[in-house]
Amino acid sequence: MESLKIHDKKFSESIHSKKIQGTVGKIAAQLNHDLKDKEVVFIGVLNGAFMFASDLMKQIQLNCRISFIKVSSYAGISSTGSVINLIGLNEVIKGKTVVIIEDIIDSGKTLNFILSALKEHEPTEIKIVTLLFKPAAFKFNYKPDYVGYRIPNQFVVGYGLDYAGFGRNLTSIYTLVNE
Ligand code: 5GP
Ligand code: MG
């Protein structure tokens, strides 16, 4: 099992790139089947989902649009302590099937915000695709529709996911080694 160091932390490989590609192919096949004949807008959530979205979309055979959004959060402005903004939604989604492409769902807070922001634009339906899902950390009651891997509540990097900005370019997924 390959292991590597990013900054001060050690990570060991937990999902090999070949396995990820197989999983991405299975999700794409399900989407191709389930969303046939619908007007679909795929929305990838930057930065983390860029690699998953790219690989997934190469295998999507639907006549669809693809766009990206970014969520920016900063603390200390509002009374709740954090403010989240959604940037870059310039696709018309009213009356369309929206498919959100996420890298990982942890507590679910980010996606919960995205869901309520998108719902204001009146899409017909919203489907959620995530490569990784941490059920033990999840705090909401919506459900991701397509999940690549359910993983334990541990920190992972690679395949779009970073540690302190690094590791996004790794083609496999690595889990933090607690030392
Ligand atoms: P949530 O709002 O669901 O708690 O967290 C979602 C965001 O937190 C993800 O989009 C990602 O940016 C970050 N995140 C959550 N868990 C991990 C993880 O294990 N590794 C990395 N690199 N980022 C994570
Ligand atoms: Mg993300």
Side-chain angles (χ1 to χ4, degrees), residues 20-55:
I20 297 174
Q21 292 308 322
T23 299
V24 171
K26 280 183 198 158
I27 296 174
Q30 282 178 295
L31 290 166
N32 285 331
H33 173 266
D34 296 352
L35 305 179
K36 208 170 21 175
D37 304 326
K38 294 196 175 184
E39 273 192 73
V40 184
V41 182
F42 286 91
I43 299 181
V45 183
L46 296 173
N47 292 326
F50 81 95
M51 203 176 275
F52 176 43
S54 169
D55 285 344

PDB file of all heavy atoms in Angstrom, residues 20-55:
ATOM      1  N   ILE A  20     -11.387   3.620  -8.413  1.00  0.00           N
ATOM      2  CA  ILE A  20     -12.194   4.848  -8.538  1.00  0.00           C
ATOM      3  C   ILE A  20     -12.794   4.927  -9.941  1.00  0.00           C
ATOM      4  O   ILE A  20     -13.987   5.191 -10.093  1.00  0.00           O
ATOM      5  CB  ILE A  20     -11.340   6.114  -8.260  1.00  0.00           C
ATOM      6  CG1 ILE A  20     -10.821   6.106  -6.822  1.00  0.00           C
ATOM      7  CG2 ILE A  20     -12.164   7.387  -8.519  1.00  0.00           C
ATOM      8  CD1 ILE A  20      -9.846   7.230  -6.495  1.00  0.00           C
ATOM      9  N   GLN A  21     -11.973   4.660 -10.950  1.00  0.00           N
ATOM     10  CA  GLN A  21     -12.466   4.750 -12.329  1.00  0.00           C
ATOM     11  C   GLN A  21     -13.623   3.773 -12.565  1.00  0.00           C
ATOM     12  O   GLN A  21     -14.582   4.093 -13.265  1.00  0.00           O
ATOM     13  CB  GLN A  21     -11.335   4.514 -13.338  1.00  0.00           C
ATOM     14  CG  GLN A  21     -10.284   5.627 -13.360  1.00  0.00           C
ATOM     15  CD  GLN A  21     -10.855   7.023 -13.528  1.00  0.00           C
ATOM     16  OE1 GLN A  21     -11.804   7.235 -14.276  1.00  0.00           O
ATOM     17  NE2 GLN A  21     -10.305   7.994 -12.815  1.00  0.00           N
ATOM     18  N   GLY A  22     -13.533   2.584 -11.977  1.00  0.00           N
ATOM     19  CA  GLY A  22     -14.619   1.603 -12.101  1.00  0.00           C
ATOM     20  C   GLY A  22     -15.897   2.124 -11.463  1.00  0.00           C
ATOM     21  O   GLY A  22     -17.002   1.999 -12.027  1.00  0.00           O
ATOM     22  N   THR A  23     -15.760   2.714 -10.295  1.00  0.00           N
ATOM     23  CA  THR A  23     -16.917   3.261  -9.580  1.00  0.00           C
ATOM     24  C   THR A  23     -17.537   4.418 -10.350  1.00  0.00           C
ATOM     25  O   THR A  23     -18.765   4.530 -10.459  1.00  0.00           O
ATOM     26  CB  THR A  23     -16.487   3.726  -8.167  1.00  0.00           C
ATOM     27  OG1 THR A  23     -15.984   2.581  -7.467  1.00  0.00           O
ATOM     28  CG2 THR A  23     -17.637   4.337  -7.396  1.00  0.00           C
ATOM     29  N   VAL A  24     -16.676   5.293 -10.897  1.00  0.00           N
ATOM     30  CA  VAL A  24     -17.169   6.433 -11.681  1.00  0.00           C
ATOM     31  C   VAL A  24     -17.975   5.911 -12.878  1.00  0.00           C
ATOM     32  O   VAL A  24     -19.048   6.433 -13.201  1.00  0.00           O
ATOM     33  CB  VAL A  24     -15.996   7.336 -12.133  1.00  0.00           C
ATOM     34  CG1 VAL A  24     -16.467   8.393 -13.126  1.00  0.00           C
ATOM     35  CG2 VAL A  24     -15.334   7.998 -10.923  1.00  0.00           C
ATOM     36  N   GLY A  25     -17.473   4.862 -13.514  1.00  0.00           N
ATOM     37  CA  GLY A  25     -18.168   4.261 -14.652  1.00  0.00           C
ATOM     38  C   GLY A  25     -19.538   3.730 -14.274  1.00  0.00           C
ATOM     39  O   GLY A  25     -20.513   3.898 -15.025  1.00  0.00           O
ATOM     40  N   LYS A  26     -19.624   3.105 -13.084  1.00  0.00           N
ATOM     41  CA  LYS A  26     -20.920   2.568 -12.630  1.00  0.00           C
ATOM     42  C   LYS A  26     -21.917   3.692 -12.356  1.00  0.00           C
ATOM     43  O   LYS A  26     -23.102   3.593 -12.700  1.00  0.00           O
ATOM     44  CB  LYS A  26     -20.734   1.752 -11.345  1.00  0.00           C
ATOM     45  CG  LYS A  26     -20.219   0.354 -11.609  1.00  0.00           C
ATOM     46  CD  LYS A  26     -20.116  -0.436 -10.324  1.00  0.00           C
ATOM     47  CE  LYS A  26     -19.201  -1.641 -10.556  1.00  0.00           C
ATOM     48  NZ  LYS A  26     -18.629  -2.152  -9.312  1.00  0.00           N
ATOM     49  N   ILE A  27     -21.448   4.763 -11.729  1.00  0.00           N
ATOM     50  CA  ILE A  27     -22.341   5.901 -11.446  1.00  0.00           C
ATOM     51  C   ILE A  27     -22.822   6.513 -12.766  1.00  0.00           C
ATOM     52  O   ILE A  27     -24.009   6.824 -12.927  1.00  0.00           O
ATOM     53  CB  ILE A  27     -21.638   6.968 -10.568  1.00  0.00           C
ATOM     54  CG1 ILE A  27     -21.302   6.397  -9.193  1.00  0.00           C
ATOM     55  CG2 ILE A  27     -22.519   8.213 -10.427  1.00  0.00           C
ATOM     56  CD1 ILE A  27     -20.469   7.316  -8.303  1.00  0.00           C
ATOM     57  N   ALA A  28     -21.897   6.672 -13.713  1.00  0.00           N
ATOM     58  CA  ALA A  28     -22.269   7.255 -15.014  1.00  0.00           C
ATOM     59  C   ALA A  28     -23.332   6.397 -15.698  1.00  0.00           C
ATOM     60  O   ALA A  28     -24.307   6.923 -16.252  1.00  0.00           O
ATOM     61  CB  ALA A  28     -21.029   7.394 -15.895  1.00  0.00           C
ATOM     62  N   ALA A  29     -23.169   5.080 -15.629  1.00  0.00           N
ATOM     63  CA  ALA A  29     -24.137   4.181 -16.262  1.00  0.00           C
ATOM     64  C   ALA A  29     -25.515   4.342 -15.624  1.00  0.00           C
ATOM     65  O   ALA A  29     -26.542   4.356 -16.330  1.00  0.00           O
ATOM     66  CB  ALA A  29     -23.660   2.738 -16.150  1.00  0.00           C
ATOM     67  N   GLN A  30     -25.550   4.472 -14.299  1.00  0.00           N
ATOM     68  CA  GLN A  30     -26.834   4.669 -13.607  1.00  0.00           C
ATOM     69  C   GLN A  30     -27.481   5.986 -14.030  1.00  0.00           C
ATOM     70  O   GLN A  30     -28.684   6.043 -14.299  1.00  0.00           O
ATOM     71  CB  GLN A  30     -26.612   4.705 -12.088  1.00  0.00           C
ATOM     72  CG  GLN A  30     -26.405   3.339 -11.458  1.00  0.00           C
ATOM     73  CD  GLN A  30     -26.154   3.506  -9.964  1.00  0.00           C
ATOM     74  OE1 GLN A  30     -25.151   4.072  -9.554  1.00  0.00           O
ATOM     75  NE2 GLN A  30     -27.089   3.036  -9.166  1.00  0.00           N
ATOM     76  N   LEU A  31     -26.665   7.044 -14.090  1.00  0.00           N
ATOM     77  CA  LEU A  31     -27.197   8.357 -14.484  1.00  0.00           C
ATOM     78  C   LEU A  31     -27.706   8.321 -15.922  1.00  0.00           C
ATOM     79  O   LEU A  31     -28.779   8.850 -16.223  1.00  0.00           O
ATOM     80  CB  LEU A  31     -26.118   9.439 -14.329  1.00  0.00           C
ATOM     81  CG  LEU A  31     -25.726   9.787 -12.880  1.00  0.00           C
ATOM     82  CD1 LEU A  31     -24.435  10.602 -12.860  1.00  0.00           C
ATOM     83  CD2 LEU A  31     -26.844  10.551 -12.177  1.00  0.00           C
ATOM     84  N   ASN A  32     -26.928   7.688 -16.811  1.00  0.00           N
ATOM     85  CA  ASN A  32     -27.352   7.575 -18.216  1.00  0.00           C
ATOM     86  C   ASN A  32     -28.709   6.884 -18.312  1.00  0.00           C
ATOM     87  O   ASN A  32     -29.555   7.242 -19.124  1.00  0.00           O
ATOM     88  CB  ASN A  32     -26.316   6.799 -19.026  1.00  0.00           C
ATOM     89  CG  ASN A  32     -25.078   7.634 -19.325  1.00  0.00           C
ATOM     90  OD1 ASN A  32     -25.155   8.854 -19.431  1.00  0.00           O
ATOM     91  ND2 ASN A  32     -23.927   6.982 -19.449  1.00  0.00           N
ATOM     92  N   HIS A  33     -28.906   5.901 -17.460  1.00  0.00           N
ATOM     93  CA  HIS A  33     -30.161   5.155 -17.448  1.00  0.00           C
ATOM     94  C   HIS A  33     -31.292   5.966 -16.806  1.00  0.00           C
ATOM     95  O   HIS A  33     -32.364   6.130 -17.383  1.00  0.00           O
ATOM     96  CB  HIS A  33     -29.957   3.836 -16.699  1.00  0.00           C
ATOM     97  CG  HIS A  33     -31.222   3.066 -16.487  1.00  0.00           C
ATOM     98  ND1 HIS A  33     -31.974   3.187 -15.328  1.00  0.00           N
ATOM     99  CD2 HIS A  33     -31.894   2.201 -17.287  1.00  0.00           C
ATOM    100  CE1 HIS A  33     -33.042   2.418 -15.424  1.00  0.00           C
ATOM    101  NE2 HIS A  33     -33.030   1.811 -16.595  1.00  0.00           N
ATOM    102  N   ASP A  34     -31.027   6.511 -15.608  1.00  0.00           N
ATOM    103  CA  ASP A  34     -32.091   7.154 -14.818  1.00  0.00           C
ATOM    104  C   ASP A  34     -32.549   8.490 -15.393  1.00  0.00           C
ATOM    105  O   ASP A  34     -33.685   8.903 -15.164  1.00  0.00           O
ATOM    106  CB  ASP A  34     -31.621   7.380 -13.379  1.00  0.00           C
ATOM    107  CG  ASP A  34     -31.347   6.073 -12.640  1.00  0.00           C
ATOM    108  OD1 ASP A  34     -31.667   4.994 -13.182  1.00  0.00           O
ATOM    109  OD2 ASP A  34     -30.808   6.132 -11.514  1.00  0.00           O
ATOM    110  N   LEU A  35     -31.660   9.205 -16.061  1.00  0.00           N
ATOM    111  CA  LEU A  35     -31.986  10.575 -16.479  1.00  0.00           C
ATOM    112  C   LEU A  35     -32.241  10.702 -17.977  1.00  0.00           C
ATOM    113  O   LEU A  35     -32.345  11.805 -18.510  1.00  0.00           O
ATOM    114  CB  LEU A  35     -30.867  11.539 -16.049  1.00  0.00           C
ATOM    115  CG  LEU A  35     -30.529  11.512 -14.553  1.00  0.00           C
ATOM    116  CD1 LEU A  35     -29.408  12.476 -14.236  1.00  0.00           C
ATOM    117  CD2 LEU A  35     -31.765  11.838 -13.708  1.00  0.00           C
ATOM    118  N   LYS A  36     -32.366   9.546 -18.614  1.00  0.00           N
ATOM    119  CA  LYS A  36     -32.666   9.517 -20.044  1.00  0.00           C
ATOM    120  C   LYS A  36     -33.915  10.365 -20.337  1.00  0.00           C
ATOM    121  O   LYS A  36     -34.884  10.334 -19.587  1.00  0.00           O
ATOM    122  CB  LYS A  36     -32.919   8.058 -20.455  1.00  0.00           C
ATOM    123  CG  LYS A  36     -32.592   7.780 -21.897  1.00  0.00           C
ATOM    124  CD  LYS A  36     -32.608   6.284 -22.220  1.00  0.00           C
ATOM    125  CE  LYS A  36     -33.405   5.457 -21.248  1.00  0.00           C
ATOM    126  NZ  LYS A  36     -33.583   4.085 -21.489  1.00  0.00           N
ATOM    127  N   ASP A  37     -33.877  11.139 -21.381  1.00  0.00           N
ATOM    128  CA  ASP A  37     -35.020  11.957 -21.813  1.00  0.00           C
ATOM    129  C   ASP A  37     -35.346  13.141 -20.902  1.00  0.00           C
ATOM    130  O   ASP A  37     -36.363  13.796 -21.068  1.00  0.00           O
ATOM    131  CB  ASP A  37     -36.301  11.104 -21.986  1.00  0.00           C
ATOM    132  CG  ASP A  37     -36.064   9.952 -22.956  1.00  0.00           C
ATOM    133  OD1 ASP A  37     -35.293  10.142 -23.911  1.00  0.00           O
ATOM    134  OD2 ASP A  37     -36.633   8.873 -22.724  1.00  0.00           O
ATOM    135  N   LYS A  38     -34.484  13.417 -19.928  1.00  0.00           N
ATOM    136  CA  LYS A  38     -34.725  14.595 -19.084  1.00  0.00           C
ATOM    137  C   LYS A  38     -33.822  15.741 -19.534  1.00  0.00           C
ATOM    138  O   LYS A  38     -32.798  15.518 -20.179  1.00  0.00           O
ATOM    139  CB  LYS A  38     -34.431  14.261 -17.619  1.00  0.00           C
ATOM    140  CG  LYS A  38     -35.395  13.235 -17.071  1.00  0.00           C
ATOM    141  CD  LYS A  38     -35.364  13.201 -15.560  1.00  0.00           C
ATOM    142  CE  LYS A  38     -36.432  12.246 -15.048  1.00  0.00           C
ATOM    143  NZ  LYS A  38     -36.537  12.212 -13.607  1.00  0.00           N
ATOM    144  N   GLU A  39     -34.232  16.947 -19.168  1.00  0.00           N
ATOM    145  CA  GLU A  39     -33.383  18.116 -19.454  1.00  0.00           C
ATOM    146  C   GLU A  39     -32.473  18.328 -18.253  1.00  0.00           C
ATOM    147  O   GLU A  39     -32.904  18.817 -17.214  1.00  0.00           O
ATOM    148  CB  GLU A  39     -34.251  19.355 -19.651  1.00  0.00           C
ATOM    149  CG  GLU A  39     -34.741  19.531 -21.074  1.00  0.00           C
ATOM    150  CD  GLU A  39     -35.333  20.926 -21.247  1.00  0.00           C
ATOM    151  OE1 GLU A  39     -34.565  21.891 -21.284  1.00  0.00           O
ATOM    152  OE2 GLU A  39     -36.569  21.002 -21.294  1.00  0.00           O
ATOM    153  N   VAL A  40     -31.212  17.941 -18.407  1.00  0.00           N
ATOM    154  CA  VAL A  40     -30.323  17.864 -17.256  1.00  0.00           C
ATOM    155  C   VAL A  40     -29.251  18.956 -17.288  1.00  0.00           C
ATOM    156  O   VAL A  40     -28.622  19.206 -18.309  1.00  0.00           O
ATOM    157  CB  VAL A  40     -29.633  16.477 -17.197  1.00  0.00           C
ATOM    158  CG1 VAL A  40     -28.786  16.359 -15.934  1.00  0.00           C
ATOM    159  CG2 VAL A  40     -30.661  15.358 -17.247  1.00  0.00           C
ATOM    160  N   VAL A  41     -29.064  19.574 -16.123  1.00  0.00           N
ATOM    161  CA  VAL A  41     -27.924  20.475 -15.918  1.00  0.00           C
ATOM    162  C   VAL A  41     -27.066  19.877 -14.798  1.00  0.00           C
ATOM    163  O   VAL A  41     -27.531  19.731 -13.660  1.00  0.00           O
ATOM    164  CB  VAL A  41     -28.365  21.898 -15.497  1.00  0.00           C
ATOM    165  CG1 VAL A  41     -27.134  22.807 -15.350  1.00  0.00           C
ATOM    166  CG2 VAL A  41     -29.348  22.486 -16.489  1.00  0.00           C
ATOM    167  N   PHE A  42     -25.838  19.493 -15.132  1.00  0.00           N
ATOM    168  CA  PHE A  42     -24.897  19.017 -14.117  1.00  0.00           C
ATOM    169  C   PHE A  42     -24.188  20.222 -13.519  1.00  0.00           C
ATOM    170  O   PHE A  42     -23.741  21.105 -14.259  1.00  0.00           O
ATOM    171  CB  PHE A  42     -23.860  18.079 -14.742  1.00  0.00           C
ATOM    172  CG  PHE A  42     -24.403  16.723 -15.071  1.00  0.00           C
ATOM    173  CD1 PHE A  42     -24.958  16.456 -16.321  1.00  0.00           C
ATOM    174  CD2 PHE A  42     -24.351  15.694 -14.127  1.00  0.00           C
ATOM    175  CE1 PHE A  42     -25.461  15.191 -16.623  1.00  0.00           C
ATOM    176  CE2 PHE A  42     -24.855  14.428 -14.430  1.00  0.00           C
ATOM    177  CZ  PHE A  42     -25.407  14.177 -15.684  1.00  0.00           C
ATOM    178  N   ILE A  43     -24.096  20.257 -12.193  1.00  0.00           N
ATOM    179  CA  ILE A  43     -23.393  21.359 -11.529  1.00  0.00           C
ATOM    180  C   ILE A  43     -22.329  20.790 -10.594  1.00  0.00           C
ATOM    181  O   ILE A  43     -22.633  20.189  -9.562  1.00  0.00           O
ATOM    182  CB  ILE A  43     -24.375  22.256 -10.740  1.00  0.00           C
ATOM    183  CG1 ILE A  43     -25.407  22.872 -11.698  1.00  0.00           C
ATOM    184  CG2 ILE A  43     -23.611  23.348  -9.993  1.00  0.00           C
ATOM    185  CD1 ILE A  43     -26.397  23.798 -11.029  1.00  0.00           C
ATOM    186  N   GLY A  44     -21.076  20.961 -10.975  1.00  0.00           N
ATOM    187  CA  GLY A  44     -19.957  20.512 -10.148  1.00  0.00           C
ATOM    188  C   GLY A  44     -19.620  21.564  -9.106  1.00  0.00           C
ATOM    189  O   GLY A  44     -19.709  22.762  -9.369  1.00  0.00           O
ATOM    190  N   VAL A  45     -19.246  21.112  -7.919  1.00  0.00           N
ATOM    191  CA  VAL A  45     -18.900  22.038  -6.837  1.00  0.00           C
ATOM    192  C   VAL A  45     -17.376  22.126  -6.718  1.00  0.00           C
ATOM    193  O   VAL A  45     -16.712  21.142  -6.354  1.00  0.00           O
ATOM    194  CB  VAL A  45     -19.537  21.601  -5.496  1.00  0.00           C
ATOM    195  CG1 VAL A  45     -19.231  22.632  -4.402  1.00  0.00           C
ATOM    196  CG2 VAL A  45     -21.044  21.423  -5.640  1.00  0.00           C
ATOM    197  N   LEU A  46     -16.866  23.296  -7.059  1.00  0.00           N
ATOM    198  CA  LEU A  46     -15.411  23.527  -7.020  1.00  0.00           C
ATOM    199  C   LEU A  46     -14.964  23.808  -5.582  1.00  0.00           C
ATOM    200  O   LEU A  46     -15.756  24.236  -4.778  1.00  0.00           O
ATOM    201  CB  LEU A  46     -15.065  24.723  -7.907  1.00  0.00           C
ATOM    202  CG  LEU A  46     -15.357  24.523  -9.405  1.00  0.00           C
ATOM    203  CD1 LEU A  46     -15.134  25.840 -10.145  1.00  0.00           C
ATOM    204  CD2 LEU A  46     -14.512  23.404  -9.989  1.00  0.00           C
ATOM    205  N   ASN A  47     -13.699  23.596  -5.201  1.00  0.00           N
ATOM    206  CA  ASN A  47     -12.675  23.046  -6.088  1.00  0.00           C
ATOM    207  C   ASN A  47     -12.688  21.518  -6.121  1.00  0.00           C
ATOM    208  O   ASN A  47     -12.303  20.897  -7.107  1.00  0.00           O
ATOM    209  CB  ASN A  47     -11.275  23.480  -5.583  1.00  0.00           C
ATOM    210  CG  ASN A  47     -11.045  24.966  -5.735  1.00  0.00           C
ATOM    211  OD1 ASN A  47     -11.512  25.601  -6.654  1.00  0.00           O
ATOM    212  ND2 ASN A  47     -10.303  25.534  -4.797  1.00  0.00           N
ATOM    213  N   GLY A  48     -13.082  20.942  -4.992  1.00  0.00           N
ATOM    214  CA  GLY A  48     -12.856  19.515  -4.773  1.00  0.00           C
ATOM    215  C   GLY A  48     -13.395  18.566  -5.828  1.00  0.00           C
ATOM    216  O   GLY A  48     -12.808  17.524  -6.086  1.00  0.00           O
ATOM    217  N   ALA A  49     -14.527  18.934  -6.462  1.00  0.00           N
ATOM    218  CA  ALA A  49     -15.179  17.972  -7.359  1.00  0.00           C
ATOM    219  C   ALA A  49     -14.665  18.040  -8.797  1.00  0.00           C
ATOM    220  O   ALA A  49     -15.190  17.351  -9.668  1.00  0.00           O
ATOM    221  CB  ALA A  49     -16.693  18.169  -7.331  1.00  0.00           C
ATOM    222  N   PHE A  50     -13.621  18.857  -9.045  1.00  0.00           N
ATOM    223  CA  PHE A  50     -13.218  19.053 -10.450  1.00  0.00           C
ATOM    224  C   PHE A  50     -12.788  17.753 -11.135  1.00  0.00           C
ATOM    225  O   PHE A  50     -13.116  17.508 -12.283  1.00  0.00           O
ATOM    226  CB  PHE A  50     -12.114  20.123 -10.577  1.00  0.00           C
ATOM    227  CG  PHE A  50     -10.717  19.644 -10.281  1.00  0.00           C
ATOM    228  CD1 PHE A  50      -9.883  19.234 -11.316  1.00  0.00           C
ATOM    229  CD2 PHE A  50     -10.233  19.593  -8.988  1.00  0.00           C
ATOM    230  CE1 PHE A  50      -8.586  18.780 -11.054  1.00  0.00           C
ATOM    231  CE2 PHE A  50      -8.949  19.142  -8.720  1.00  0.00           C
ATOM    232  CZ  PHE A  50      -8.126  18.729  -9.746  1.00  0.00           C
ATOM    233  N   MET A  51     -12.079  16.896 -10.409  1.00  0.00           N
ATOM    234  CA  MET A  51     -11.544  15.690 -11.054  1.00  0.00           C
ATOM    235  C   MET A  51     -12.648  14.636 -11.237  1.00  0.00           C
ATOM    236  O   MET A  51     -12.759  14.016 -12.286  1.00  0.00           O
ATOM    237  CB  MET A  51     -10.395  15.125 -10.223  1.00  0.00           C
ATOM    238  CG  MET A  51      -9.470  14.265 -11.038  1.00  0.00           C
ATOM    239  SD  MET A  51      -8.042  13.668 -10.134  1.00  0.00           S
ATOM    240  CE  MET A  51      -6.893  15.017 -10.284  1.00  0.00           C
ATOM    241  N   PHE A  52     -13.458  14.472 -10.214  1.00  0.00           N
ATOM    242  CA  PHE A  52     -14.585  13.542 -10.293  1.00  0.00           C
ATOM    243  C   PHE A  52     -15.550  13.981 -11.390  1.00  0.00           C
ATOM    244  O   PHE A  52     -15.975  13.170 -12.221  1.00  0.00           O
ATOM    245  CB  PHE A  52     -15.274  13.481  -8.920  1.00  0.00           C
ATOM    246  CG  PHE A  52     -16.519  12.644  -8.867  1.00  0.00           C
ATOM    247  CD1 PHE A  52     -16.593  11.401  -9.486  1.00  0.00           C
ATOM    248  CD2 PHE A  52     -17.640  13.097  -8.161  1.00  0.00           C
ATOM    249  CE1 PHE A  52     -17.754  10.629  -9.419  1.00  0.00           C
ATOM    250  CE2 PHE A  52     -18.800  12.332  -8.075  1.00  0.00           C
ATOM    251  CZ  PHE A  52     -18.848  11.108  -8.714  1.00  0.00           C
ATOM    252  N   ALA A  53     -15.867  15.273 -11.412  1.00  0.00           N
ATOM    253  CA  ALA A  53     -16.802  15.785 -12.426  1.00  0.00           C
ATOM    254  C   ALA A  53     -16.250  15.534 -13.826  1.00  0.00           C
ATOM    255  O   ALA A  53     -16.972  15.112 -14.728  1.00  0.00           O
ATOM    256  CB  ALA A  53     -17.061  17.270 -12.199  1.00  0.00           C
ATOM    257  N   SER A  54     -14.967  15.781 -14.001  1.00  0.00           N
ATOM    258  CA  SER A  54     -14.343  15.601 -15.314  1.00  0.00           C
ATOM    259  C   SER A  54     -14.422  14.139 -15.765  1.00  0.00           C
ATOM    260  O   SER A  54     -14.853  13.839 -16.882  1.00  0.00           O
ATOM    261  CB  SER A  54     -12.890  16.065 -15.241  1.00  0.00           C
ATOM    262  OG  SER A  54     -12.206  15.684 -16.400  1.00  0.00           O
ATOM    263  N   ASP A  55     -14.023  13.220 -14.901  1.00  0.00           N
ATOM    264  CA  ASP A  55     -14.052  11.796 -15.262  1.00  0.00           C
ATOM    265  C   ASP A  55     -15.481  11.295 -15.475  1.00  0.00           C
ATOM    266  O   ASP A  55     -15.758  10.517 -16.384  1.00  0.00           O
ATOM    267  CB  ASP A  55     -13.361  10.954 -14.179  1.00  0.00           C
ATOM    268  CG  ASP A  55     -11.850  11.097 -14.230  1.00  0.00           C
ATOM    269  OD1 ASP A  55     -11.327  11.582 -15.261  1.00  0.00           O
ATOM    270  OD2 ASP A  55     -11.191  10.734 -13.238  1.00  0.00           O
TER     271      ASP A  55
END
